[in-house]
Amino acid sequence: MMFWYGNGMSGWGYVLMTVGMVAFWALVIVGIVMLVRAAAPRSTPPPAPYAPTPEEIVAMRFARGEIDEDEYRRRLDALHTHRPGSGA
């Protein structure tokens, strides 16, 4: 015989039991969702290929010896004065 409950469970006992049951099932569902998400393969897009800037292309051509210093400076000046969207 359980004397500590008196004549039965009070209203607060039913409330705590309901809240505990809801919290338990919420934790179980969240745990299952987290396991499924952790096991699923990630679909990340591949990184975009690197495209050198026009200044880098001119610098690489100068470094390879395809153009001389005067041609290099002339092309850099042309790139800096005729930027797209500058209205020139």
Side-chain angles (χ1 to χ4, degrees), residues 36-81:
V36 168
R37 291 184 84 192
R42 304 215 191 299
S43 60
T44 57
Y50 173 72
T53 64
E55 288 87 358
E56 290 173 335
I57 294 172
V58 173
M60 286 187 288
R61 289 189 65 197
F62 177 65
R64 287 192 298 257
E66 296 176 7
I67 57 176
D68 60 357
E69 185 178 354
D70 293 333
E71 181 72 14
Y72 171 72
R73 294 198 185 281
R74 189 171 58 80
R75 288 181 185 234
L76 276 183
D77 289 339
L79 285 173
H80 291 159
T81 56

Side-chain angles (χ1 to χ4, degrees), residues 23-38:
F24 170 76
W25 285 111
L27 286 173
V28 168
I29 291 170
V30 167
I32 290 171
V33 168
M34 290 178 69
L35 282 174
V36 168
R37 291 184 84 192

